[in-house]
Amino acid sequence: MRAGPSQDEIRRQNLGALLRYVHVHGATSRAELTNTLGLNRSTIGALTADLAAAGLVSEGTPKETGRAGRPSLVVRPESARVFAYAFSVEVDRLRAARVGLGGEVLDRRELPRPHGPVAGEAAPLLAGMVKDMHQYAPPGAICVGAGVAVVGMVRRDDGLVRLSPTIGWVDEPLGELLRAELGDERPVAVGNVADLAALAEHVRGVAFGCDNLIYLHGDAGVGAGIIAGGRRVTGHGGYGGEVGHMVVNPGGQPCGCGSRGCWETEIGEHALLRAAGRDGYEGQDAVLGVVDPAARGDAKAQAAVRQVGDWLGFGVANLVNIFNPEMVIFGGTLRDLYLAAAAQVRSRLNSMALPACREHVRLRTPVLGEDAALIGAAELAFERLLADPLDAT
Amino acid sequence: MRAGPSQDEIRRQNLGALLRYVHVHGATSRAELTNTLGLNRSTIGALTADLAAAGLVSEGTPKETGRAGRPSLVVRPESARVFAYAFSVEVDRLRAARVGLGGEVLDRRELPRPHGPVAGEAAPLLAGMVKDMHQYAPPGAICVGAGVAVVGMVRRDDGLVRLSPTIGWVDEPLGELLRAELGDERPVAVGNVADLAALAEHVRGVAFGCDNLIYLHGDAGVGAGIIAGGRRVTGHGGYGGEVGHMVVNPGGQPCGCGSRGCWETEIGEHALLRAAGRDGYEGQDAVLGVVDPAARGDAKAQAAVRQVGDWLGFGVANLVNIFNPEMVIFGGTLRDLYLAAAAQVRSRLNSMALPACREHVRLRTPVLGEDAALIGAAELAFERLLADPLDAT
């Protein structure tokens, strides 16, 4: 219900639009910026000069195009100098990265995660990796903030991890702890790993240009990142996307959440390993230990893949009816399961989803791989910069 | 990725913001508009003058406030003069209304729906009701467009009704047909009834101020209108919200969609009537014919309400885990079922939904009643006006 912006707000909005464009699309000619942003040449020139003075972009001549005439100057994001710190808190490890404007991972570190139930053990390790990477950052480099992806339910307002069954955290103030460890006044943005992987694949991955998508992340648990109409759907408190606790089989197995027959109990790692008679194993290697023999013709492994793949398709069909997405992406260990059971998934989709809801849906695997969580966490941190480029640096 | 707006765009944006504010909030003092919209007094005065010159608002002194000092002028939407035509296509009837700016239903008509399978039979009847109402509109009244709510899946781009099992339509170009019948050059906006009831309850009903909500609409079928982060979630083609075809009971009854155990088969009217031993009846009276005896202590009716109410809660818990909404609204005949089975719904929610996802959720019934579909259809039509007030009239 806000009214239109003031002159100063317009300038900030334009600066943000230009910087976002080169952040997403990479080096771009002034001519293309003029066309795409709907601003005149002199305005583009003035905005570029402001951003360059702040050290956020640089200008130069393009690579040889082979075309006649004077080439339009090219605006490049200062990817090596302007960066965010990105973290990923996972079951078995902690990761940290320095991600440049433009989305490139410039540096990275990894440590095993201490298996205690408090975030206070993880925060100093995450901050320590930052201190180490900081030594290798070029002189004068600008850090615009930090973002974290965590396998758990995150309160949007302050980055409290409400619940992470797989890492055993309950009400852990990860955002606050990490801010204190980093000694930074700026808030550390925290998000769920599936939400942030969805964001990453949307901004610079397989779902680029696709405004309605569901990213499914599987490990021991199952969750989703949902983007509808180009915007993240995270719900009232930030806890949306808990598709793993959609009950699909009322007569099924008890779930750790206290319910029974949750989708997670049918398609999580444990379900696959149990079906294959390998109860007790876990992790991606264990999943591949079923999927690979299935591909080589092992009958028991094949039966397990078919059964669990069938349930995978079952839940996907439900979500397709609810969201009418353009794309469903299978991430984490669901990637391996999907690749082995695509026929079962497609079959369930065809028999259970309404034709209008499924007609344009593409089933895909991520292209950013393990980097998706880090790139998505960095995108969270870049949001502040892109909203107001000159104020945030 | 658009850049900031030009001077002219800002003026249009400000005009739209002011008009939207009085459309939603009714008569508003200049002082409140100045505060809320963040514009100075002279700008508010100029915008109001422009809108008044176009006949969209009027200014006047407020009603006696009892406070000393010169009262701030009040800006009122011209509700009696500026209106949209709104239609509702339902199983048994066709409705049309003239809805004033500000959301008041000024006039209405109703006819039985001809039970043929083509929209070509309905369009002339809908247009006929408009012609009749038009005679009673005040001289010089301004029609800003038309919107339709229909019980079916609607293609967003052109208002084609892809499928409506309950009224038997397949690929019926309702938007085009109605535009031709009305002799209007402007597109007729068409939407699904649950989507538009959600919109109406969001803008001026029980969910006012609530940005994450699910509106469930039940009759023979079951669908949902979903609003997330203040925006309607309708999916890639416009077909999202088909929660009635979320499979909740894999061993359940065959569904008309070709699948089995869809939520609709457990909570639609037919499920309740079947459970109560009243198979063959249908409609709201039939539902009340179960719910009322249950309230009076009829054991068979009570068992039916408990069983179907339990499934209602089951699906709601799934949706709460997926969306983390602030509110779930039970509309159509699900209103009557919910009121009779609130205990079952709440119990399922508590046992199946994750605490973080359900902790702030309020379960509510609509306050706009049967008008919700018409008011939501009018909101669709008003969208164009509010986006650019001086261009649309």
Side-chain angles (χ1 to χ4, degrees):
Chain A
M1 205 56 70
R2 271 301 308 283
S6 68
Q7 282 296 325
D8 183 54
E9 285 173 317
I10 293 166
R11 180 167 154 272
R12 289 165 191 268
Q13 212 170 310
N14 285 338
L15 288 166
L18 199 162
L19 189 60
R20 184 181 292 274
Y21 196 87
V22 298
H23 171 62
V24 172
H25 296 83
T28 307
S29 72
R30 280 201 185 189
E32 182 179 336
L33 290 169
T34 303
N35 283 338
T36 312
L37 301 180
L39 295 166
N40 62 41
R41 290 181 53 161
S42 63
T43 303
I44 293 290
L47 295 170
T48 303
D50 285 350
L51 293 171
L56 299 171
V57 304
S58 61
E59 276 194 296
T61 47
K63 291 175 188 140
E64 188 54 59
T65 63
R67 288 192 300 182
R70 191 162 65 97
S72 178
L73 284 174
V74 162
V75 181
R76 292 189 176 83
E78 276 282 11
S79 303
R81 286 191 64 241
V82 181
F83 67 90
Y85 282 115
F87 304 98
S88 177
V89 176
E90 302 164 32
V91 175
D92 290 322
R93 61 180 176 169
L94 302 171
R95 290 190 291 157
R98 211 160 60 77
V99 180
L101 187 65
E104 193 188 344
V105 177
L106 302 169
D107 198 358
R108 63 174 83 226
R109 297 289 184 277
E110 184 175 325
L111 287 171
R113 189 179 70 79
H115 279 208
V118 295
E121 297 168 335
L125 295 173
L126 293 167
M129 291 192 278
V130 161
K131 283 178 193 120
D132 188 39
M133 283 189 285
H134 195 69
Q135 301 173 38
Y136 297 88
I142 304 168
C143 173
V144 300
V148 193
V150 57
V151 286
M153 301 174 78
V154 178
R155 188 159 70 193
R156 185 174 41 230
D157 288 347
D158 61 2
L160 179 95
V161 179
R162 280 290 296 273
L163 178 68
S164 173
T166 51
I167 59 178
W169 289 2
V170 178
D171 290 338
E172 289 293 318
L174 180 63
E176 287 301 317
L177 289 167
L178 198 46
R179 175 157 78 159
E181 287 288 344
L182 292 171
D184 196 328
E185 287 183 2
R186 296 170 294 194
V188 173
V190 187
N192 168 273
V193 63
D195 283 341
L196 296 184
L199 177 61
E201 295 286 348
H202 173 59
V203 174
R204 51 186 84 256
V206 67
F208 181 74
C210 166
D211 277 347
N212 292 279
L213 68 99
I214 298 170
Y215 180 103
L216 297 171
H217 177 84
D219 45 43
V222 171
I226 295 157
I227 290 179
R231 289 164 176 260
R232 292 196 297 139
V233 173
T234 54
H236 178 56
Y239 309 118
E242 289 292 335
V243 299
H245 299 285
M246 163 174 70
V247 176
V248 293
N249 187 4
Q253 301 289 321
C255 179
C257 76
S259 187
R260 178 180 285 274
C262 291
W263 196 23
E264 185 169 299
T265 66
E266 300 292 350
I267 66 163
E269 286 172 14
H270 299 304
L272 181 68
L273 294 165
R274 193 177 57 235
R278 298 172 68 89
D279 224 342
Y281 294 86
E282 61 181 27
Q284 188 177 22
D285 287 346
V287 168
L288 293 175
V290 179
V291 167
D292 289 344
R296 290 194 303 267
D298 179 290
K300 188 163 187 179
Q302 281 180 336
V305 165
R306 273 199 303 271
Q307 175 196 320
V308 179
D310 188 56
W311 280 111
L312 179 60
F314 186 107
V316 167
N318 277 357
L319 295 176
V320 164
N321 283 336
I322 293 170
F323 286 102
N324 179 208
E326 200 178 347
M327 187 178 290
V328 178
I329 306 170
F330 300 86
T333 50
L334 290 179
R335 175 182 180 278
D336 305 304
L337 175 60
Y338 167 70
L339 290 174
Q344 281 74 31
V345 173
R346 184 50 80 175
S347 166
R348 275 291 188 183
L349 194 59
N350 288 342
S351 65
M352 287 176 56
L354 299 167
C357 290
R358 69 173 145 86
E359 64 190 350
H360 294 124
V361 71
R362 288 170 284 164
L363 307 181
R364 291 289 185 273
T365 54
V367 296
L368 299 175
E370 294 197 331
D371 282 352
L374 293 169
I375 291 172
E379 288 299 327
L380 266 196
F382 284 127
E383 276 304 321
R384 237 179 95 250
L385 174 73
L386 299 175
D388 195 350
L390 302 191
D391 192 55
T393 50
Chain B
M1 207 53 69
R2 270 301 307 281
S6 67
Q7 282 297 325
D8 182 55
E9 284 173 318
I10 294 166
R11 180 167 154 271
R12 290 164 191 268
Q13 211 170 311
N14 284 338
L15 288 166
L18 199 163
L19 190 60
R20 184 181 292 272
Y21 196 86
V22 298
H23 171 62
V24 171
H25 295 83
T28 307
S29 72
R30 279 201 185 188
E32 182 178 337
L33 290 169
T34 304
N35 283 338
T36 312
L37 300 182
L39 295 167
N40 63 40
R41 290 180 54 162
S42 63
T43 303
I44 294 290
L47 295 170
T48 304
D50 283 349
L51 293 172
L56 299 172
V57 303
S58 62
E59 277 196 296
T61 48
K63 289 177 187 137
E64 189 52 62
T65 64
R67 289 193 298 184
R70 193 162 65 97
S72 178
L73 284 174
V74 160
V75 181
R76 292 189 176 85
E78 277 282 11
S79 304
R81 287 189 64 241
V82 181
F83 68 90
Y85 282 116
F87 304 98
S88 176
V89 175
E90 302 165 31
V91 175
D92 290 323
R93 60 181 177 169
L94 301 171
R95 289 191 292 157
R98 211 159 60 77
V99 179
L101 187 66
E104 192 189 345
V105 177
L106 302 169
D107 198 358
R108 64 173 84 226
R109 298 288 184 279
E110 184 176 325
L111 286 171
R113 188 180 69 81
H115 279 209
V118 293
E121 297 168 334
L125 295 172
L126 293 166
M129 292 192 277
V130 161
K131 282 178 193 121
D132 188 38
M133 285 189 285
H134 195 69
Q135 301 173 39
Y136 297 89
I142 303 167
C143 174
V144 300
V148 193
V150 59
V151 286
M153 302 175 78
V154 178
R155 188 160 70 193
R156 186 175 38 231
D157 289 346
D158 61 2
L160 179 96
V161 180
R162 277 293 295 274
L163 178 67
S164 173
T166 52
I167 59 177
W169 289 2
V170 178
D171 291 337
E172 288 292 319
L174 180 63
E176 286 302 317
L177 289 167
L178 198 46
R179 175 158 79 158
E181 287 288 342
L182 292 171
D184 196 329
E185 285 182 4
R186 297 172 293 196
V188 173
V190 187
N192 169 272
V193 64
D195 283 340
L196 295 184
L199 177 62
E201 295 286 348
H202 173 60
V203 174
R204 51 186 84 254
V206 67
F208 181 75
C210 167
D211 277 348
N212 292 279
L213 69 99
I214 298 170
Y215 179 103
L216 296 172
H217 177 84
D219 45 41
V222 170
I226 296 157
I227 290 179
R231 289 164 177 260
R232 294 196 294 139
V233 173
T234 54
H236 178 57
Y239 309 118
E242 289 292 335
V243 299
H245 299 285
M246 165 175 69
V247 175
V248 293
N249 187 2
Q253 302 289 320
C255 179
C257 76
S259 188
R260 177 180 286 273
C262 291
W263 197 23
E264 185 170 299
T265 66
E266 299 293 350
I267 66 164
E269 286 171 14
H270 298 304
L272 181 67
L273 294 165
R274 192 178 58 233
R278 297 173 68 87
D279 224 343
Y281 292 87
E282 63 181 26
Q284 188 175 23
D285 287 346
V287 169
L288 293 175
V290 178
V291 167
D292 289 344
R296 289 193 305 268
D298 180 290
K300 186 161 187 180
Q302 280 180 339
V305 165
R306 274 198 303 271
Q307 175 195 319
V308 180
D310 188 56
W311 280 112
L312 178 60
F314 187 107
V316 167
N318 276 357
L319 295 176
V320 164
N321 282 337
I322 294 170
F323 286 102
N324 179 209
E326 200 179 346
M327 187 177 289
V328 179
I329 307 170
F330 299 86
T333 51
L334 289 179
R335 176 182 179 278
D336 305 304
L337 175 61
Y338 167 70
L339 290 174
Q344 280 74 32
V345 173
R346 184 52 79 176
S347 165
R348 275 292 189 181
L349 195 59
N350 288 343
S351 65
M352 286 176 56
L354 299 167
C357 290
R358 69 173 146 86
E359 65 190 349
H360 294 125
V361 72
R362 289 171 283 164
L363 308 181
R364 291 289 185 273
T365 55
V367 297
L368 299 173
E370 295 197 330
D371 282 353
L374 293 169
I375 290 171
E379 288 299 328
L380 265 197
F382 283 127
E383 276 305 322
R384 238 181 94 250
L385 174 73
L386 299 174
D388 196 348
L390 302 190
D391 192 56
T393 51

